[in-house]
């Protein structure tokens, strides 16, 4: 996809004035938060499971090279093929080669963020292979030529009437007078149109929520069943997964599965959790004849051993964006990257470089909700702060912010001067606040006060107020 | 160097470790061999009858319909009753499963029984679940000639028989059962954990049943 992260401010301003988007974004707040809370409250072991899941992933990441070797052995033993891709380009080439060997014309796809990350659809199309997205949300955005705006609800930025218009525009073989006013009708139409495509497909591509070293299995978690039809009816099943999806054992996988659906949609389990191991067996009447796993690095090995290693615990549940006030305000597209929201703000600079993604760690209020809901206990705000530090160190921060910080640092390093300046400034700012106690415009801070007022200080510095409080208490 | 070797070398460099470190190898080998269970929710750890009730309650919460019959002999009758109640033709798709065969669907003279994988034209399919998970109302189905995977996803209605004694409390118990059948570290091609009928919330977060898989899931508890 075209990364537009450097334009985050412009993207966000446009999103704030996009009325249909603002209407659709209400569904994020209403749809996800209460359901997650109810599921979590119903499971007293939820917090213990979070600790357990964090420990499992920490252990796996510390031994990732060895688990990868074990996993590879098991896949090969079950008749599958493992391909290693260092970059997105390598992964695309490997997948194309698999498709070409099978003379594939059509490829069905289960929902996969990794294939978004490597820009697979455009690439396959350019090479004469038609990719068909089968997840309802992915299908809708494919019709619109868009990218997902949410990692588990790709079309969450759209309203029903927009989907209806797209279906009428594309499904011209259906009677124009048909009724598409209800959600059910839209779903039925997509089901009917896509059903035939599964049978026609030469190759079925899915992502993976987990890779299990103990058995060589890949795991997908869906509610629609599209990923299962994709991998069962295609003659060849290709799994595209990043390295950090590994878990040691089936029992380890169970721990994290209990967190995934609850954190994502508030279900105890998603409707379909499917473990796939190798191609169909000699006696099996259905299933794919070939099974390939494409393991993607694309910058992840460079995160190991750094302050960003913990990000590799992420299981892509979407809870961080579901609870993010910035995501609620601007939606996923404004981030201009494959992964939006807090997890995207940490991951994008890691994968695409800080020059490209450095803006995103600033798109945060640091309220900390993302960390508090993250099932894998990933310290997202801390990592965004690390990116901000790096951005500053590499002189990528805008000059106004740099000079502002230098100005502040000059005083902060000289406490006496700082206190003197503050005791002069506070009464002045307090007076500026007037009777409303709010400052509407401030020199050099127009960018800040354009969208909100600055609450006026009370007139005293913290140290002055503290000294008075101490004096009062000792005097008593 | 191959991409594989590059990736492994990069990992080891980043982690500051060696691939030959015997302590690391031992830690991984031990973890894989022991495959210890972690935190298991108390809510599924119940005596059999309560466990079955919990399974049924969660399966129903996620949109499945539930029936309970005394023995496998009553299964053909229950299947016919369900098909009739849904105004479906008296026809089912079934695999080679010995438990389902022993139920003798031919005892229902009006019922057409098609065997093998589904080709997408079946309105109803019948499977036998090898296990179930009470803590979440989840069925566990293993692929093979006995229960082709296509029956789990292509028919509009999926009817699943589960023996009462096979309903376990947790996911871990389901995996332990699979290990007993297939061997440690071995799996059939596909294991499907199924919790309710297919659905999508992709349009305005409104949950609609019957996305790509079955619109209805009917669970028949036997025993």
């Amino acid at each position: 996809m075209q990364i537009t992260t450097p334009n985050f401010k412009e993207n966000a301003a446009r999103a704030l004035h996009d009325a249909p988007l603002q209407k659709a974004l209400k569904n994020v707040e209403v749809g996800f938060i209460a359901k997650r809370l109810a599921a979590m409250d119903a499971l007293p072991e939820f917090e213990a499971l979070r600790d357990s899941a964090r420990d499992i992933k920490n252990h796996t990441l510390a031994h990732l090279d060895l688990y990868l070797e074990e996993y590879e052995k098991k896949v090969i033993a079950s008749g599958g093929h493992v391909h290693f891709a260092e970059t997105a380009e390598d992964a695309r080439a490997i997948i194309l080669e698999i498709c070409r060997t099978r003379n594939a014309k059509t490829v069905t796809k289960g929902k996969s963020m990794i294939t978004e990350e490597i820009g697979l659809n455009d690439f396959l199309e350019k090479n004469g292979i038609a990719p068909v997205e089968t997840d309802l949300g992915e299908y809708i955005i494919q019709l619109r030529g868009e990218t997902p705006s949410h990692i588990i609800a790709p079309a969450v930025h759209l309203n029903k009437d927009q989907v209806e218009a797209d279906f009428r525009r594309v499904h011209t073989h259906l009677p124009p007078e048909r009724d598409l006013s209800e959600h059910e009708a839209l779903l039925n139409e997509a089901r009917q149109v896509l059903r035939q495509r599964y049978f026609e497909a030469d190759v079925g591509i899915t992502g993976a929520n987990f890779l299990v070293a103990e058995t060589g299995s890949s795991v997908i978690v869906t509610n629609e069943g599209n990923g299962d039809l994709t991998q069962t009816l295609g003659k060849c099943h290709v799994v595209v997964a990043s390295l950090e999806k590994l878990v040691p054992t089936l029992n380890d996988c169970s721990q994290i599965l209990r967190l995934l659906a609850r954190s994502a949609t508030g279900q105890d389990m998603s409707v379909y959790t499917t473990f796939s191991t190798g191609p169909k067996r000699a006696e099996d009447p259905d299933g794919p004849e070939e099974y390939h796993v494409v393991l993607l690095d694309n910058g992840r090995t460079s995160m190991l051993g750094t302050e960003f290693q913990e990000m590799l615990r992420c299981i892509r549940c979407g809870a961080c964006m579901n609870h993010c006030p910035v995501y609620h305000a601007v939606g996923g597209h404004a981030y201009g990257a494959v992964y939006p929201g807090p997890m995207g703000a940490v991951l994008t600079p890691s994968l695409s470089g800080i020059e490209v993604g450095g803006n995103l760690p600033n798109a945060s209020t640091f309220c900390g909700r993302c960390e508090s809901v993250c099932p894998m206990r990933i310290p997202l705000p801390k990592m965004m702060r690390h990116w901000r530090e790096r951005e500053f160190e590499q002189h990528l921060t805008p000059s106004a912010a740099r000079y502002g910080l230098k100005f502040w640092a000059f005083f902060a390093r000289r406490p006496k001067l700082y206190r003197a300046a503050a005791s002069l400034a506070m009464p002045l700012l307090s007076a500026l606040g007037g009777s409303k106690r709010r400052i509407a415009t401030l020199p050099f801070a127009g960018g800040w006060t354009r969208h909100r007022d600055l609450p006026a200080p009370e007139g005293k510095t913290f140290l002055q107020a503290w000294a008075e409080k101490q004096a009062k208490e000792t005097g008593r | 160097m191959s991409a594989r070797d590059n990736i492994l070398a990069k990992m080891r460099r980043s982690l500051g470790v060696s691939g030959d470190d015997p302590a690391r190898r031992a830690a991984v080998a031990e973890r894989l061999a022991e495959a210890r269970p972690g935190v298991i929710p108390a809510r599924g750890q119940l005596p059999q009858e309560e466990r079955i009730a919990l399974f049924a309650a969660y399966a129903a919460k996620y949109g499945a319909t539930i029936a309970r019959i005394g023995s496998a002999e009553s299964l053909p009758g229950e299947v016919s009753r369900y098909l009739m109640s849904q105004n479906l033709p008296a026809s089912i798709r079934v695999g080679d499963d010995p438990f389902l065969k022993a139920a003798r669907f031919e005892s229902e003279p009006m019922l057409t029984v098609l065997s093998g994988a589904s080709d997408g034209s079946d309105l109803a399919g019948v499977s036998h679940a090898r296990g179930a998970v009470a803590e979440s109302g989840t069925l566990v189905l293993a692929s093979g000639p006995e229960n082709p995977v296509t029956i789990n996803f292509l028919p509009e209605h999926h009817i699943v028989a589960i023996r009462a004694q096979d309903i376990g409390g947790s996911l871990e118990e389901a995996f332990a059962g699979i290990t007993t059948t297939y061997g440690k570290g071995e799996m059939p091609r596909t294991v499907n954990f199924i919790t309710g009928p297919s659905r999508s919330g992709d349009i305005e977060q409104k949950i609609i049943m019957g996305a790509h898989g079955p619109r209805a899931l009917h669970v028949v508890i036997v025993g």
Side-chain angles (χ1 to χ4, degrees):
Chain A
M1 72 177 279
Q2 179 72 35
I3 304 270
T4 64
T5 297
N7 311 330
F8 177 78
K9 278 188 182 173
E10 294 78 14
N11 294 349
R14 212 175 312 123
L16 287 169
H17 292 102
D18 182 338
L21 173 67
Q22 290 299 321
K23 178 172 174 246
L25 283 173
K26 289 280 170 284
N27 295 325
V28 175
E29 283 186 74
V30 176
F32 289 109
I33 294 177
K35 286 183 195 165
R36 172 188 168 277
L37 204 59
M40 205 183 79
D41 285 348
L43 190 72
E45 294 88 353
F46 194 81
E47 293 303 318
L49 282 162
R50 287 174 78 182
D51 291 338
S52 169
R54 176 199 57 206
D55 296 346
I56 288 167
K57 278 286 186 181
N58 284 350
H59 166 82
T60 313
L61 291 171
H63 300 84
L64 195 56
D65 53 327
L66 302 181
Y67 281 117
L68 202 57
E69 288 179 356
E70 295 299 323
Y71 168 76
E72 183 193 25
K73 269 186 225 159
K74 291 301 293 189
V75 176
I76 293 170
S78 63
H81 305 269
V82 182
H83 310 262
F84 290 82
E86 289 180 76
T87 63
E89 196 186 347
D90 294 348
R92 290 192 299 260
I94 292 165
I95 297 163
L96 181 63
E97 183 58 32
I98 296 169
C99 292
R100 288 224 165 120
T101 308
R102 299 222 55 122
N103 274 326
K105 303 278 180 300
T106 316
V107 164
T108 42
K109 287 186 66 207
K111 182 171 164 30
S112 149
M113 287 308 296
I114 292 295
T115 63
E116 299 285 345
E117 182 181 322
I118 64 173
L120 184 62
N121 286 4
D122 283 352
F123 177 77
L124 289 178
E125 266 170 36
K126 279 192 195 112
N127 285 283
I129 296 168
V132 180
E133 293 287 353
T134 60
D135 171 82
L136 178 62
E138 291 282 347
Y139 177 67
I140 293 166
I141 60 169
Q142 188 183 28
L143 296 183
R144 299 173 63 86
E146 291 180 337
T147 54
S149 69
H150 189 291
I151 59 172
I152 68 158
V156 77
H157 59 289
L158 296 171
N159 297 294
K160 180 166 59 85
D161 49 335
Q162 292 166 292
V163 179
E164 177 178 350
D166 290 321
F167 281 15
R168 289 195 186 282
R169 174 173 59 79
V170 177
H171 302 157
T172 46
H173 63 291
L174 296 171
E177 67 278 7
R178 69 194 187 280
D179 182 6
L180 287 179
S181 57
E182 296 299 324
H183 297 82
E184 285 82 354
L186 292 167
L187 179 67
N188 277 334
E189 185 160 312
R191 178 186 169 106
Q192 185 193 329
V193 169
L194 285 168
R195 189 44 88 89
Q196 201 46 43
R197 309 305 297 269
Y198 293 116
F199 288 98
E200 293 161 0
D202 305 291
V203 172
I205 299 179
T206 68
N209 292 85
F210 305 97
L211 304 172
V212 185
E214 182 187 11
T215 57
S217 310
S218 57
V219 185
I220 60 167
V221 174
T222 74
N223 278 325
E224 297 185 6
N226 63 306
D228 289 283
L229 289 171
T230 297
Q231 62 164 286
T232 305
L233 299 177
K235 294 169 197 75
C236 172
H237 178 197
V238 178
V239 179
V240 192
S242 49
L243 302 165
E244 81 281 12
K245 297 288 168 188
L246 267 170
V247 291
T249 65
L250 295 169
N251 280 343
D252 291 324
C253 191
S254 305
Q255 296 290 290
I256 310 178
L257 276 173
R258 290 197 177 94
L259 299 169
L260 177 58
R262 289 183 175 94
S263 300
T265 55
Q267 288 162 281
D268 292 277
M269 280 278 274
S270 297
V271 177
Y272 303 113
T273 300
T274 296
F275 288 68
S276 309
T277 314
K280 72 178 211 178
R281 309 295 148 83
E283 66 279 14
D284 285 353
D286 50 20
E289 291 154 18
E290 278 180 41
Y291 177 75
H292 296 264
V293 185
V294 181
L295 292 171
L296 177 71
D297 180 350
N298 205 26
R300 287 165 176 84
T301 46
S302 309
M303 294 166 73
L304 289 169
T306 72
E307 62 265 58
F308 302 109
Q309 175 169 323
E310 291 180 281
M311 188 61 218
L312 296 174
R313 291 204 300 262
C314 177
I315 54 171
R316 307 290 190 267
C317 68
C320 60
M321 56 197 78
N322 292 341
H323 291 77
C324 176
V326 178
Y327 185 96
H328 290 167
V330 300
H333 284 155
Y335 292 81
V338 176
Y339 302 100
M343 57 77 62
V346 174
L347 201 55
T348 305
S350 300
L351 301 183
S352 309
I354 190 168
E355 318 73 38
V356 179
N359 235 338
L360 296 185
N362 296 300
S364 165
T365 64
F366 277 2
C367 69
R369 278 172 94 185
C370 50
E371 182 176 357
S372 74
V373 298
C374 175
M376 305 305 289
R377 298 203 192 283
I378 299 171
L380 291 156
K382 188 180 90 183
M383 285 190 272
M384 283 187 247
R385 259 196 297 274
H386 286 317
W387 277 124
R388 290 188 187 187
E389 283 161 20
R390 288 203 185 182
E391 191 190 26
F392 189 82
E393 283 161 10
Q394 296 180 25
H395 301 272
L396 295 166
T397 316
S399 55
R402 297 188 67 81
Y403 288 126
L405 275 171
K406 275 199 179 143
F407 181 73
W408 177 82
F410 175 83
F411 287 96
R413 287 204 201 95
R414 297 166 177 80
K416 277 188 184 157
L417 189 61
Y418 187 97
R419 279 172 215 163
S423 59
L424 282 176
M426 287 309 119
L428 193 68
L429 285 172
S430 176
L432 266 178
S435 58
K436 284 192 184 152
R437 315 288 321 133
R438 306 194 75 79
I439 301 166
T441 56
L442 204 59
F444 308 115
W448 204 90
T449 52
R450 194 179 307 138
H451 299 293
R452 64 272 212 220
D453 292 342
L454 179 74
E458 292 297 318
K460 283 180 194 132
T461 68
F462 170 77
L463 284 175
Q464 286 168 340
W466 181 254
E468 275 179 28
K469 183 173 180 285
Q470 293 291 92
K472 224 186 264 173
E473 278 172 17
T474 28
R476 209 170 347 146
Chain B
M1 281 219 297
S2 67
R4 174 189 186 276
D5 296 341
N6 279 341
I7 287 175
L8 288 171
K10 255 164 100 183
M11 268 180 192
R12 288 171 180 145
R13 208 161 43 237
S14 293
L15 289 167
V17 297
S18 152
D20 303 322
D21 183 342
R24 294 179 75 239
R25 292 231 168 244
V28 166
E30 188 194 313
R31 180 136 190 153
L32 291 174
E34 291 189 0
R36 263 188 295 249
V39 178
I40 295 179
R43 78 179 183 202
Q45 305 304 301
L46 298 166
Q48 178 164 300
E49 274 312 304
E50 289 165 55
R51 200 164 65 228
I52 294 167
L54 184 74
F55 162 75
Y58 273 111
K61 176 185 171 189
Y62 289 108
T65 50
I66 319 284
R68 189 164 183 185
I69 55 178
S71 69
E73 281 159 35
S74 312
L75 185 60
E78 171 54 26
V79 167
S80 293
R81 185 205 63 75
Y82 176 79
L83 296 176
M84 216 173 333
S85 75
Q86 301 292 315
N87 289 318
L88 291 166
S91 173
I92 52 169
R93 172 71 65 172
V94 194
D96 248 357
D97 189 87
F99 176 75
L100 297 178
K101 279 198 158 162
R104 293 180 26 86
F105 283 106
E106 58 272 26
S107 66
E108 285 288 304
M110 304 302 288
L111 190 64
T112 308
V113 182
L114 305 166
S115 58
S118 176
D119 59 3
S121 59
D122 310 302
L123 288 175
V126 180
S127 305
H128 169 213
R130 56 161 294 122
V133 179
E135 64 168 304
S136 52
T138 302
L139 295 160
V140 187
L141 290 102
S143 66
E146 300 82 11
N147 291 285
V149 178
T150 40
I151 296 181
N152 301 348
F153 294 97
L154 286 170
E156 303 263 311
H157 293 253
H158 191 203
I159 302 166
V160 183
I162 170 83
R163 296 192 303 172
Q165 74 239 46
D166 293 338
I167 298 174
S170 64
L171 283 167
E172 285 80 354
E173 288 161 61
F175 284 127
I178 289 170
T179 299
T180 305
T181 308
Y182 296 89
K184 168 81 173 88
E186 303 302 316
M187 297 277 271
R189 151 65 200 170
T190 308
V191 178
N192 294 124
F193 288 84
I194 300 180
T195 313
S198 162
R199 72 202 61 194
S200 175
D202 272 346
I203 302 174
E204 297 181 335
Q205 301 307 293
K206 187 166 189 254
I207 307 292
I208 310 293
M209 306 305 260
H212 293 276
R215 296 171 197 278
L217 175 67
H218 185 58
V219 181
V220 185
I221 300 169
V222 183

